[in-house]
Each structure stands twice: as structure tokens, then as C-alpha cells.
Amino acid sequence: MQNKHPLCYITVLFALGFIGAAAVSAAESEAEGFHCVITPSQTVELGSPVPGQLHEVLVDRSDTVSEGQIVASLDSRLEQASLEIARFKAETDTEVSLRKAAFAIDSRTARRLNSLAASKVASAQDKDRAARESGLSAWRLQQAKDDLDLYALELARAEATLDRRRIRSPIDGKVLARLHNPGEYIEDEALLRIVKLDPLYIEAILPMRLFGSVRPGMQAEVFPELEIGTSHAATVVLVDPMGDAGSGTFGARLSLPNPDLLIPAGLKCRVQLKDKGPVLSELQGKPDNLPRLAAAKSVLR
């Protein structure tokens, strides 16, 4: 049997040591977790749908708001007056009542003259005139009803116009910043910055060697930097479809429930993935499981 050159053994041993050290280093890195940042799941720069002068701002920094809550309003005296006019017109049916009464009288007159004309007491001309007045009264009554429907639509438009001057929060969350005060004129700029803190998002930076093994639905433990030894369960919700060539990393987002708002956003953290894919399994500090190591060992046989 042919003996292998000693240099071959040295090269193989060096390769074994390098691969083993790399595997152990990767395993230790995973044991410590990967870098991440805790962020709000939503950040809203809340503005006004219409320009105008601020009348009042009902919330301040750190206040809790709920979806649909009125947080500010613009000066709306003109819109309020227009709404009252529209409401008065929509709720006043005097014209309809008047037209109903006229139609009833004209209808009775037409029936009476129709009977008299049949008895040769009234002329055909009087009969036709009464029928014409009865028909016109019917159309006037319908026009009054149509006008009332139109006034109802104008009332709805006036209510919507007034409501657009009330600024509502689109999410449940906390006010992060109040950027304007009553009396200021706002147009395109934001009035409030609101963040949603339940759930929180964990933006993790992972090495490219894990690409393809991290998938939505995987479970993980998150360790905030200010809570030493404390972890929170999170779930992967999305994975970037490509990596960054400069850093050799890719991003993943995890969702972390925070119903009591006890976990602050804006912290650094470490994340440990719990569901192990094929690549992650190789990083458990077991170099013998590495295919490259197995191939290197076969050289010594």
C-alpha cells in the first residue's frame, strides 16, 4: 500500500482545523444570536386631508390614541354654517306639503269637471283646463320630493366636508411627536407622528449562509439589550428576497407581540432562531456533520 506524503497530512490537518474552527465560530455566533433592532410595526406621519388653520390639537406626545379617534381639528366655522343650512333644507318639507295640498285640490276639481262635462253642464274646455292643472300639480309635487332628496344629498356632502376638517388617527398607537399647535396654518406638512407598538417588528441582519433556511413562520427568541437574560418569543413574517454583497448579509423581519406595551421600541437586540433548517443544523458545533469535513477526512483513509 502506497504511503501518502507527509505534506499531504499536514495540509489535510490544517484544512480540518480551519474548517472546524470556522464551524465552531459560526456555532458560537448563532448561540449568541444575530444583531437586530426593535422598531414600531407602523409609523404614521399624520397630516390633514385639507389645508387650513388649526383650531385645536387634542393629544400630545406620549398620549395613547385609538383608530378613528379625533386628535385635532381645523377652523370650521364656515363649514359648520353650511352644514346647518343644508340640514334645515333637508328637514323642511313645507314645499312638499304645499304641493300635496295643491295636487289634492286640483285632482278633485278635475274629477268634478269631468263629471259635469259628462252631464253637459261644463264645457270641454273647462274639463281640459282642470285636467291640465291636475297633471301639472302632480309634477310639481314630484319636483318638491326630488328637491328634498337633493337636499339630503347636500346635507351628506356638508357633513363630509365638515368631517374632513377633523383629523383622526388611522391606527391604535402612541403619539411620538406633536409638530404643530393651534393657530398655525397647515397644508402639506405632518401634524403628528404616531407609532404602533403592538406588535413590534424585529429587523434582523442575518449572514448569507442562512439564506434559504430562514422562512416566514419560523419561531425565534429576542433578547433586548436592556433586559439581560430576558427573552421574548417572536415569529418571522418576511425575509428579504436578496442579500447585500458588501456586508454578506440579508434582512428578515419578525413580529413580536406587545399587548401591554412593556417592551420599548428603538432598542438593539439579539435574535436566536429556534426552528433549524438544514443550514442551521450544520452550525450546532458539530464539525463532523459538515460535508466538507467528511470529504477532508476521507483523504486520510
Side-chain angles (χ1 to χ4, degrees):
M1 178 172 148
Q2 183 179 2
N3 292 328
K4 292 185 173 66
H5 195 280
L7 181 59
C8 178
Y9 290 99
I10 295 174
T11 303
V12 171
L13 290 176
F14 178 79
L16 289 174
F18 177 79
I19 296 173
V24 171
S25 176
E28 289 176 352
S29 175
E30 185 195 359
E32 295 175 358
F34 304 105
H35 293 289
C36 60
V37 178
I38 303 176
T39 66
S41 53
Q42 280 185 272
T43 300
V44 176
E45 299 281 343
L46 182 61
S48 171
V50 294
Q53 185 182 38
L54 271 175
H55 172 61
E56 59 181 351
V57 182
L58 302 175
V59 295
D60 207 341
R61 188 177 63 188
S62 82
D63 285 348
T64 300
V65 296
S66 57
E67 182 179 354
Q69 176 184 338
I70 297 176
V71 294
S73 64
L74 303 179
D75 180 74
S76 55
R77 288 171 292 179
L78 179 61
E79 289 75 14
Q80 185 66 49
S82 299
L83 175 63
E84 295 303 324
I85 293 172
R87 179 176 288 116
F88 177 79
K89 293 168 68 174
E91 295 175 353
T92 303
D93 61 350
T94 305
E95 186 69 18
V96 174
S97 299
L98 178 63
R99 295 301 180 185
K100 281 182 178 179
F103 175 66
I105 294 173
D106 291 340
S107 295
R108 287 196 300 269
T109 301
R111 287 194 300 270
R112 187 181 305 114
L113 286 174
N114 188 51
S115 177
L116 292 174
S119 303
K120 305 299 183 181
V121 176
S123 65
Q125 184 178 4
D126 292 336
K127 171 189 171 183
D128 292 342
R129 184 183 300 111
R132 182 189 64 192
E133 289 299 324
S134 177
L136 290 175
S137 292
W139 283 109
R140 293 188 187 102
L141 174 59
Q142 184 60 47
Q143 183 180 26
K145 291 180 178 179
D146 292 343
D147 288 343
L148 202 59
D149 292 339
L150 178 61
Y151 296 151
L153 295 175
E154 290 179 348
L155 174 61
R157 181 177 63 181
E159 289 174 340
T161 301
L162 178 61
D163 190 65
R164 280 168 62 84
R165 303 185 75 83
R166 299 176 181 137
I167 303 171
R168 303 175 185 272
S169 172
I171 60 173
D172 297 329
K174 287 276 191 179
V175 178
L176 186 63
R178 171 173 161 172
L179 306 174
H180 291 279
N181 294 304
E184 297 183 41
Y185 185 86
I186 62 173
E187 187 169 2
D188 297 326
E189 62 270 25
L191 168 64
L192 298 170
R193 185 175 296 116
I194 302 174
V195 293
K196 186 173 184 178
L197 301 176
D198 180 31
L200 293 170
Y201 280 164
I202 310 301
E203 302 292 348
I205 304 299
L206 306 176
M208 282 303 296
R209 67 175 181 273
L210 302 184
F211 191 83
S213 64
V214 179
R215 300 180 179 88
M218 291 178 61
Q219 301 300 307
E221 292 292 327
V222 176
F223 298 83
E225 64 176 351
L226 296 183
E227 300 179 13
I228 300 176
T230 302
S231 66
H232 305 276
T235 304
V236 177
V237 293
L238 66 84
V239 179
D240 287 349
M242 62 180 291
D244 178 68
S247 62
T249 60
F250 69 99
R253 174 179 293 168
L254 298 86
S255 178
L256 173 62
N258 189 29
D260 299 324
L261 306 184
L262 298 179
I263 307 171
L267 291 180
K268 296 178 182 178
C269 58
R270 304 285 290 183
V271 61
Q272 291 182 353
L273 298 168
K274 296 175 64 177
D275 294 340
K276 309 300 183 182
V279 175
L280 293 177
S281 298
E282 295 175 357
L283 303 176
Q284 295 299 308
K286 299 178 180 179
D288 290 340
N289 291 335
L290 288 171
R292 288 176 299 173
L293 186 60
K297 282 187 175 183
S298 65
V299 179
L300 295 176
R301 297 192 185 122

